[in-house]
Amino acid sequence: MDILFAQIQADLRSNDALRQSGALLSALQQSAAGRDISVIAKSAVEEIVAAPASAVCKKLAFDLIRSTRLTADLWDSVSIGIRNDLHFPDPEVVAAAVSILAAIPSYSLSKLISDVNAEISVCFDSPSDSLRFSITETLGCVLARDDLVTLCENNVNLLDKVSAWWARIGLNMLDRSDTVSKVAFESVGRLFQEFDSKRMSRLAGDKLVDSENSLAIRSNWVSSMVDFVWNKRSALMARSLILPVESFRATVFPLVYAVKAVASGGLEVIRKISKGTKVNGTVVDSNAEKLVGVSDLVTHLAPFLASSLEPALIFEVGINMLYLADVPGGKPEWASQSIIAILTLWDRQEFASARESIVRAVVTNLHLLDLHMQVSLFKRLLLMVRNLRAESDRMHALACICRTALCVDLFAKESVRRGQKPLAGTDIASLFEDARVKDDLHNVTSKSLFREELVATLVESCFQLSLPLPEQKNSGMESRVIGALAYGTGYGALNWTETALEVVEVCRPCVKWDCDRRTYAIDCYLKLLVRLCHIYDTRGGVKRVKDGASQDQILNETRLQNLQRDLVKDLREVNTPRICARLLWAISEHIDLEGLDPLLADDPEDPLNIIVSNIHKVLFNVDSSANTTNRPQDVQAVLLCAQRLGSRHARAGQLLTKELEEFRTNGLADSVNKHQCRMILQRIKYVSSHPESRWAGVSEARGDYPFSHHKLTVQFYEVSAAQDRKLEGLVHKAILELWRPDPSELTLLLTKGIDSTSLKVPPTAHTLTGSSDPCYIEAYHLADAGDGRISLHLKVLNLTELELNRVDIRVGLSGSLYFMDGSPQAVRQLRNLVSQDPVLCSVTVGVSHFERCGFWVQVLYYPFYGSGGVGDYEGDYAEEDPQIIRQKRSLRPELGEPVILRCQPYKIPLTELLLPHKISPVEFFRLWPSLPAIVEYTGTYIYEGSGFKATAAQQYGSSPFLSGLKSLYSKPFHRVCSHIIRTVAGFQLCYAAKTWHGGFLGMMIFGASEVSRNVDLGDETTTMMCKFVVRASDASITKQIESDPQGWLDDLTDGGVEYMPEDEVKVAAAERLRISMERIALLKAAQPKKTPKSDDEEEDEEKKEEDAEQNKDGEENGKPKGPSTLSKLTAEEAEHRALQAAVLQEWHMLCKDRSIKIS
């Protein structure tokens, strides 16, 4: 291999273009094979890039540079070579030099562009097509990137140049050359795409955190390009038509984006963001002009949907026409044409790699179609969605389809109400009557989760429909939802219930499903059923006209009553053990007992008899699966049913009394069940004997479903429960993204200004050098969790009186950080540092996982750089041998001996790699026991005042006893709940967070204050002992925390809490115990002695003790004890559970107070 590399280097040093190009091709082959070619790259830079060579060799050399890593010195040589080549007479060489600009590192790009801006501007006017193509393509990539926008922020001259270049790129869309025109369209499209999605910056690996100015700069460029495209739209459309058909696709997006921005008012938003900079744009006054512009573009694009044979072009045109159909005044035909064309691709089995994209495009734009088209597509889409592999895509599509189904149903009902002719096939039952969907719903067992996803999504969509819709101000894809949503929420409060009633009827077979113990979909169904029964008050029977009920209400209540009767019959066919008790509760709570026929009291088909027989079945269930499926909760639910049923109805009371008496004497009942049965029996007996003094409010239905997963305080961890949690998370995420999308960064910026989340205030800087060091270095970092990047920003100040010609900043990494290009360290070369003049530089790195990490900075400065060099040689290169010219041009000034300054490491806090995770307290406590990794440690801090005074001041918000933890408010944790024990100044705080890479981390802090001893005169101080308990989903997370507890505490509390090793904790506890025992001994000694007992009394007491011991032994040796609820918890566990209960109680009270304030 060394021989081959030596041969390549020898060929590169030759003056033969053929040999040089062959050597470069061999080097590229070695690079593609994965070999390190940095030695060859050095030769290529010195012999080809920084010296005269042919255009082919230059291009190959630049390809070689892109495939390897260069040192900072070599990048300097590349920059010098580019400057020289831009003056070269051959336009092909200039084009090759321009093309490498996109690969130049961000830190040296600004200076290079500033130096050669005149030459770049000249390239736009070149008669050579290849040079105009190269400059348009390269600048289109570079100028849209984040790093260049950040450079423009600090350099006004550069900003003016770049703005002028964008105008030239825009003009190149009308260039005479097809290739130049196509690449100009692509460049403008890239600018628009970057503004919307930041996709290109992620690909370029230079993502930095946006500031207010950079957003304004970019929006200024976008608004000027939108103006240009709008004004020249006719010429641009004509130019695109004479491009080769394979190039037409590049012209679609820029035209559509600009026309849509003007027609929908988006351009005004972009102008506002550009900080009021005066844009010489056209103000389009009339809506007619906007609509004509959109119609012209649709007419221009539509023929390609039908006549094109290229699937990618059909898809591109279809997607963009859907984007246009959303503008005010858009026509449903525009959307239907596109969707038919896109679905044709599906039918032709072409474009198979984009199956998810096709479905997402269709379902996202369903609301733009007319009603007939929606109905005709509905069943087909359900079958398409069923075959999607990715869960998130499937959920999003299901959410869109379910919303469409509800909208269509509402819209059709509203049309009939307004006197229009009813449309066939628009009700929910008709929409879901497809044979395969029906089979799915009616089959007891099924291998796929699709039916559970469908029912859960449909029901959750009904609940979203019952809530007021958020006001949509931005004109996005969701702005013009079909009018049914407005009808459904605006016409009447109960209007949504008619559609929900149809959903409940269609999904009724789900209660019979056997889902391998998964219950989420059936729970969703029963929750909606209970809500409807409560709204229509099914307990009171069907209302009559003379009671003020409308015909619709009477019809709906009759349907609901019939549905309840059917569900009672279905009780015998329930296959999931947990569902039987829940269905019993849902029915018995709301069934109309007074409406039952008393003549059928002995009929086994009577609903009440079926309910009582199923209660018996649950109470006396000795099936082996009962214990594994949380039998105690099922029994509790059934006993509550029995209590409320027996209190409401005399015959139910008689039947249930018999069942409860039998259960009470059975060995299956534990002591709690027995006491509960006794209490229920007393209630039923009292109600039956005193019917006139029964209080109606006791057993009143509330419309709540206590089994939904948000209400369960205890959930045994099973595989089925984990699957339910996953499905619940996917459904909720898809529903919320669709019905209540988060506002975009642009919307936040306009509404909240500088306080919005997208604009981050730079944190405080840390000094990395000592007071007597010749260079002063200050650093701060910015983190972007979305991309997993951290940018370190350094400010370097020359404190000497000399001008330092060259300073190298070397940055190394530790932990989970890595450089984008895979290099082991970064080098930033700074030139000509004037005394006391600050110079800025930055490094952007990625984070691979959750681990302690940091930057290690080293400064090398060369006080003797440039002295004694041979760079002042002046020769007549024209008359000399080319080999000598190449050698002399590559001569560099002597570096001299560097002075090395090692700085303090810049540690990234572990908390920086976390994100707050919103979670309810009940969900938190349910998840807490299942987290496998755990670490505990103790910390202390001192605050002023006694515990009692501190807790008294807590009422007024000035309590000092949480002073050591006040920094936690600014850390990336979600505060789940808190409980303050005011009497002894103790507390429990619960926090939840997720790592950047998805791991869950929960933290509880228990605090107890102790008065410090040996207090000096003056204010009393108290020590707060804090127990930190951290649990995580992965042991690697707790391992990082455990490795340095004090470091973790410093990250959390900014040095406010001091770590206390476990040995010291035990010693302190033993000391406290000893003092307490001494005090107790003193108290006992001070108590008066008891009078001595007589001998007879002592004998009697001894006998009683012996009898008690004999009884105890007899119980143990005889029959085994029955189930007991006597606690076997340790004191710590009991306290922990009590604290949890107190926290939940406080959370419920806070929610209640909040709801009272809102109402």
Side-chain angles (χ1 to χ4, degrees):
M1 194 57 65
D2 291 341
I3 298 170
L4 177 62
F5 279 16
Q7 179 62 46
I8 291 172
Q9 286 175 294
D11 287 347
L12 288 175
R13 281 193 288 271
S14 73
N15 199 29
D16 184 352
L18 197 60
R19 285 178 64 189
Q20 286 177 334
S21 58
L24 288 167
L25 284 170
S26 300
L28 283 167
Q29 284 177 339
Q30 296 301 318
S31 174
R35 297 189 180 91
D36 182 14
I37 55 161
S38 50
V39 180
I40 300 175
K42 184 175 186 294
S43 300
V45 169
E46 291 172 352
E47 305 296 338
I48 308 291
V49 177
S54 68
V56 173
C57 290
K58 290 277 185 186
K59 285 177 181 174
L60 289 172
F62 288 140
D63 286 339
L64 191 67
I65 287 170
R66 288 190 184 95
S67 68
T68 186
R69 295 193 299 267
L70 298 185
T71 63
D73 286 330
L74 288 177
W75 276 120
D76 267 2
S77 300
V78 172
S79 300
I80 293 166
I82 291 171
R83 285 193 189 94
N84 294 335
D85 287 346
L86 286 175
H87 296 284
F88 205 79
D90 183 0
E92 296 298 328
V93 172
V94 180
V98 165
S99 68
I100 195 61
L101 284 175
I104 297 288
S106 304
Y107 56 86
S108 56
L109 185 64
S110 173
K111 188 172 189 311
L112 180 60
I113 287 184
S114 300
D115 291 347
V116 299
N117 64 74
E119 289 82 353
I120 289 175
S121 299
V122 169
C123 292
F124 280 108
D125 300 318
S126 168
S128 166
D129 290 349
S130 62
L131 181 50
R132 293 201 312 279
F133 171 84
S134 183
I135 193 70
T136 307
E137 181 186 42
T138 305
L139 289 186
C141 291
V142 172
L143 301 187
R145 287 185 349 198
D146 274 351
D147 55 346
L148 196 104
V149 179
T150 311
L151 294 174
C152 288
E153 242 184 286
N154 306 313
N155 189 334
V156 180
N157 293 330
L158 183 62
L159 174 60
D160 293 340
K161 297 289 180 191
V162 173
S163 300
W165 291 340
W166 272 120
R168 296 305 302 270
I169 291 173
L171 283 170
N172 276 0
M173 288 194 284
L174 297 169
D175 194 88
R176 64 178 181 272
S177 164
D178 287 344
T179 53
V180 175
S181 176
K182 179 198 170 190
V183 84
F185 273 110
E186 284 176 346
S187 300
V188 173
R190 197 174 290 121
L191 172 69
F192 293 158
Q193 208 169 36
E194 176 74 4
F195 185 68
D196 264 3
S197 67
K198 292 269 178 265
R199 195 175 302 150
M200 299 311 299
S201 280
R202 292 192 179 101
L203 294 176
D206 56 14
K207 174 86 174 124
L208 301 170
V209 179
D210 268 346
S211 68
E212 188 182 11
N213 289 336
S214 65
L215 207 56
I217 288 167
R218 200 194 293 275
S219 59
N220 202 349
W221 295 341
V222 170
S223 63
S224 64
M225 292 312 298
V226 166
D227 275 329
F228 175 82
V229 174
W230 173 259
N231 292 328
K232 301 277 186 185
R233 62 185 183 277
S234 300
L236 290 169
M237 284 190 277
R239 181 70 186 88
S240 68
L241 287 174
I242 57 174
L243 281 174
V245 70
E246 60 271 12
S247 302
F248 180 81
R249 190 154 64 102
T251 68
V252 177
F253 177 69
L255 283 166
V256 168
Y257 183 91
V259 170
K260 170 81 182 278
V262 174
S264 63
L267 182 59
E268 302 307 317
V269 173
I270 297 169
R271 281 180 183 159
K272 279 183 191 172
I273 297 170
S274 61
K275 300 187 71 175
T277 47
K278 292 184 180 178
V279 184
N280 299 322
T282 317
V283 179
V284 185
D285 289 327
S286 68
N287 287 328
E289 188 182 349
K290 293 178 182 177
L291 198 55
V292 166
V294 177
S295 299
D296 287 348
L297 186 54
V298 170
T299 309
H300 164 70
L301 294 174
F304 289 90
L305 287 176
S307 61
S308 175
L309 295 175
E310 186 189 355
L313 178 57
I314 294 174
F315 186 71
E316 183 77 19
V317 172
I319 288 286
N320 282 284
M321 277 184 63
L322 285 172
Y323 188 59
L324 276 179
D326 194 30
V327 300
K331 297 178 182 176
E333 293 81 32
W334 299 348
S336 58
Q337 277 179 301
S338 305
I339 283 180
I340 289 168
I342 291 171
L343 288 176
T344 306
L345 289 179
W346 179 287
D347 292 339
R348 283 158 49 184
Q349 296 297 310
E350 294 182 24
F351 216 45
S353 60
R355 291 166 67 90
E356 281 80 8
S357 304
I358 288 174
V359 173
R360 184 170 278 260
V362 174
V363 296
T364 309
N365 295 283
L366 270 175
H367 60 276
L368 300 175
L369 300 172
D370 60 11
L371 208 60
H372 292 283
M373 183 87 174
Q374 290 187 27
V375 172
S376 63
L377 279 179
F378 191 80
K379 294 164 191 170
R380 183 179 176 188
L381 281 173
L382 269 179
L383 296 179
M384 288 168 68
V385 169
R386 180 196 198 97
N387 296 320
L388 289 185
R389 294 179 298 276
E391 286 173 333
S392 55
D393 287 322
R394 198 166 65 238
M395 287 302 172
H396 175 264
L398 270 177
C400 292
I401 290 171
C402 290
R403 183 178 73 171
T404 303
L406 300 180
C407 293
V408 165
D409 188 66
L410 276 172
F411 190 83
K413 284 184 170 62
E414 184 64 25
S415 302
V416 172
R417 209 174 274 127
R418 294 180 178 220
Q420 295 177 14
K421 187 180 176 183
L423 290 165
T426 52
D427 56 315
I428 297 287
S430 301
L431 291 171
F432 286 94
E433 70 181 359
D434 181 76
R436 289 184 66 179
V437 175
K438 268 194 169 180
D439 284 347
D440 253 359
L441 290 175
H442 285 85
N443 279 348
V444 172
T445 56
S446 174
K447 290 182 180 177
S448 79
L449 283 171
F450 177 72
R451 60 180 190 172
E452 293 171 54
E453 294 167 355
L454 178 62
V455 168
T457 313
L458 197 53
V459 170
E460 292 290 353
S461 299
C462 284
F463 282 119
Q464 289 297 325
L465 200 62
S466 69
L467 302 170
L469 280 173
E471 188 179 353
Q472 299 261 352
K473 288 182 182 174
N474 59 327
S475 88
M477 298 296 274
E478 309 301 331
S479 61
R480 201 176 62 112
V481 177
I482 190 170
L485 282 180
Y487 290 142
T489 53
Y491 183 80
L494 292 183
N495 210 4
W496 71 275
T497 57
E498 295 182 23
T499 302
L501 182 56
E502 291 203 17
V503 169
V504 171
E505 287 175 340
V506 167
C507 299
R508 193 194 100 202
C510 74
V511 295
K512 304 178 190 175
W513 288 349
D514 180 7
C515 302
D516 294 330
R517 297 181 185 167
R518 294 187 298 274
T519 61
Y520 173 63
I522 310 173
D523 277 331
C524 286
Y525 173 80
L526 292 177
K527 187 163 63 172
L528 181 60
L529 175 70
V530 167
R531 178 78 65 87
L532 287 175
C533 290
H534 177 65
I535 288 171
Y536 281 111
D537 187 22
T538 51
R539 273 190 178 192
V542 179
K543 313 298 178 296
R544 293 171 295 181
V545 176
K546 68 177 184 181
D547 297 330
S550 64
Q551 292 296 331
D552 285 346
Q553 186 181 344
I554 293 170
L555 179 64
N556 291 338
E557 289 189 6
T558 308
R559 285 167 64 187
L560 202 51
Q561 294 277 0
N562 294 335
L563 179 69
Q564 281 184 332
R565 304 279 167 89
D566 291 337
L567 284 169
V568 170
K569 291 174 185 172
D570 290 342
L571 271 169
R572 297 165 179 167
E573 301 175 53
V574 171
N575 289 288
T576 306
R578 305 297 309 279
I579 293 303
C580 189
R582 298 178 185 189
L583 182 57
L584 268 173
W585 191 92
I587 294 169
S588 61
E589 190 74 355
H590 294 277
I591 195 168
D592 176 21
L593 292 172
E594 304 300 331
L596 297 178
D597 189 346
L599 297 175
L600 298 176
D602 297 329
D603 186 359
E605 295 299 315
D606 180 63
L608 184 57
N609 290 339
I610 296 174
I611 289 172
V612 172
S613 67
N614 277 279
I615 286 177
H616 176 90
K617 188 170 133 188
V618 174
L619 288 177
F620 294 94
N621 182 13
V622 289
D623 188 16
S624 60
S625 64
N627 293 323
T628 57
T629 52
N630 206 349
R631 170 181 159 77
Q633 194 186 52
D634 294 348
V635 171
Q636 286 294 312
V638 167
L639 289 176
L640 276 174
C641 287
Q643 175 186 321
R644 296 167 79 84
L645 268 177
S647 306
R648 278 171 56 202
H649 195 256
R651 183 161 72 88
Q654 293 167 3
L655 293 171
L656 289 167
T657 301
K658 180 186 168 191
E659 294 293 340
L660 291 174
E661 289 284 7
E662 187 182 345
F663 178 63
R664 195 176 149 198
T665 55
N666 194 288
L668 288 168
D670 62 22
S671 55
V672 168
N673 295 148
K674 288 175 180 175
H675 287 304
Q676 204 168 355
C677 288
R678 187 168 59 84
M679 185 196 74
I680 294 169
L681 288 168
Q682 286 176 347
R683 281 193 173 199
I684 293 174
K685 184 180 176 184
Y686 179 83
V687 168
S688 60
S689 57
H690 302 82
E692 71 288 342
S693 48
R694 181 177 64 185
W695 183 33
V698 171
S699 59
E700 183 186 359
R702 294 176 184 167
D704 200 7
Y705 181 71
F707 306 98
S708 67
H709 295 301
H710 293 295
K711 297 283 169 60
L712 289 183
T713 51
V714 177
Q715 176 72 49
F716 293 123
Y717 194 77
E718 300 170 350
V719 176
S720 56
Q723 288 175 321
D724 273 339
R725 294 297 80 68
K726 182 181 177 184
L727 181 59
E728 182 183 9
L730 287 167
V731 170
H732 280 194
K733 185 181 177 188
I735 291 284
L736 288 177
E737 278 180 359
L738 184 67
W739 289 82
R740 277 159 176 73
D742 290 330
S744 65
E745 285 190 5
L746 299 182
T747 312
L748 282 173
L749 190 69
L750 287 170
T751 51
K752 297 184 180 177
I754 198 162
D755 297 327
S756 71
T757 53
S758 62
L759 303 178
K760 297 177 183 174
V761 179
T764 52
H766 301 279
T767 305
L768 302 184
T769 50
S771 56
S772 59
D773 288 332
C775 271
Y776 169 79
I777 296 193
E778 197 175 70
Y780 69 88
H781 73 276
L782 295 172
D784 188 338
D787 285 338
R789 307 277 163 84
I790 292 179
S791 294
L792 179 72
H793 295 261
L794 298 166
K795 182 166 80 174
V796 183
L797 194 64
N798 175 12
L799 296 180
T800 66
E801 294 181 0
L802 306 171
E803 178 181 345
L804 298 176
N805 293 326
R806 172 170 167 174
V807 175
D808 288 357
I809 307 289
R810 292 185 181 175
V811 181
L813 305 177
S814 64
S816 57
L817 302 181
Y818 65 92
F819 288 109
M820 305 299 163
D821 59 358
S823 57
Q825 67 173 6
V827 180
R828 299 286 180 266
Q829 287 186 354
L830 310 177
R831 298 293 172 86
N832 305 324
L833 262 69
V834 182
S835 177
Q836 305 296 327
D837 187 17
V839 178
L840 305 174
C841 64
S842 66
V843 177
T844 301
V845 297
V847 182
S848 59
H849 56 277
F850 184 82
E851 187 187 352
R852 291 190 179 279
C853 50
F855 294 91
W856 300 76
V857 181
Q858 207 177 59
V859 183
L860 283 77
Y861 61 97
Y862 301 85
F864 309 109
Y865 175 74
S867 60
V870 287
D872 54 352
Y873 175 83
E874 292 180 5
D876 189 358
Y877 293 153
E879 296 176 5
E880 297 218 13
D881 183 65
Q883 187 72 19
I884 297 170
I885 297 172
R886 188 176 293 113
Q887 287 174 0
K888 290 184 176 175
R889 281 197 176 181
S890 63
L891 286 173
R892 293 185 158 277
E894 290 295 327
L895 291 175
E897 280 297 316
V899 178
I900 301 175
L901 173 64
R902 291 181 178 84
C903 303
Q904 292 178 4
Y906 186 93
K907 299 285 181 67
I908 301 294
L910 262 181
T911 50
E912 195 68 67
L913 307 181
L914 296 172
L915 291 169
H917 178 63
K918 287 189 178 178
I919 188 171
S920 69
V922 177
E923 186 78 11
F924 178 82
F925 284 122
R926 192 182 71 214
L927 190 61
W928 179 261
S930 66
L931 296 170
I934 183 167
V935 59
E936 299 181 15
Y937 50 91
T938 305
T940 62
Y941 62 89
I942 293 174
Y943 66 93
E944 293 184 359
S946 68
F948 179 75
K949 288 177 184 173
T951 44
Q954 174 70 14
Q955 299 173 24
Y956 307 101
S958 58
S959 169
F961 80 100
L962 284 175
S963 60
L965 302 175
K966 62 186 177 185
S967 301
L968 268 169
Y969 286 102
S970 61
K971 302 299 175 187
F973 284 95
H974 170 64
R975 187 162 177 171
V976 181
C977 51
S978 62
H979 181 66
I980 311 297
I981 306 170
R982 302 181 190 281
T983 50
V984 292
F987 58 82
Q988 179 195 26
L989 307 175
C990 300
Y991 293 93
K994 277 203 168 182
T995 67
W996 285 10
H997 307 280
F1000 180 83
L1001 184 144
M1003 181 169 67
M1004 287 193 195
I1005 308 174
F1006 301 94
S1009 62
E1010 299 171 359
V1011 177
S1012 305
R1013 289 178 291 125
N1014 304 323
V1015 180
D1016 295 333
L1017 294 172
D1019 289 339
E1020 187 180 356
T1021 60
T1022 310
T1023 301
M1024 180 65 76
M1025 297 280 291
C1026 298
K1027 181 83 170 177
F1028 290 79
V1029 184
V1030 179
R1031 295 190 81 146
S1033 57
D1034 189 1
S1036 62
I1037 298 173
T1038 51
K1039 186 180 176 184
Q1040 294 301 318
I1041 295 169
E1042 204 170 10
S1043 63
D1044 183 10
Q1046 184 61 59
W1048 169 252
L1049 284 174
D1050 290 343
D1051 294 345
L1052 283 178
T1053 61
D1054 294 339
V1057 176
E1058 184 183 349
Y1059 170 64
M1060 199 172 175
E1062 206 59 36
D1063 298 340
E1064 292 182 24
V1065 174
K1066 288 177 181 174
V1067 169
E1071 179 66 16
R1072 286 198 303 274
L1073 182 64
R1074 187 183 64 76
I1075 294 168
S1076 301
M1077 295 300 286
E1078 286 176 0
R1079 286 178 182 167
I1080 290 168
L1082 286 171
L1083 286 169
K1084 281 185 176 178
Q1087 283 179 353
K1089 290 181 180 177
K1090 292 183 181 177
T1091 54
K1093 294 184 180 179
S1094 64
D1095 294 343
D1096 296 339
E1097 285 176 354
E1098 285 179 7
E1099 284 174 10
D1100 291 343
E1101 281 191 5
E1102 283 172 9
K1103 282 181 184 176
K1104 285 177 186 174
E1105 286 173 9
E1106 285 172 9
D1107 292 343
E1109 283 178 10
Q1110 284 174 2
N1111 291 339
K1112 188 175 176 184
D1113 294 342
E1115 279 179 7
E1116 288 176 357
N1117 299 330
K1119 293 180 182 178
K1121 287 185 177 180
S1124 171
T1125 55
L1126 292 175
S1127 175
K1128 294 181 182 177
L1129 300 172
T1130 63
E1132 271 188 343
E1133 288 171 338
E1135 183 187 7
H1136 182 59
R1137 290 199 177 185
L1139 270 173
Q1140 284 189 13
V1143 172
L1144 289 172
Q1145 181 64 27
E1146 179 163 320
W1147 178 66
H1148 284 303
M1149 292 300 294
L1150 284 170
C1151 291
K1152 190 176 175 185
D1153 294 345
R1154 201 177 297 123
S1155 62
I1156 290 168
K1157 283 177 187 174
I1158 290 168
S1159 57

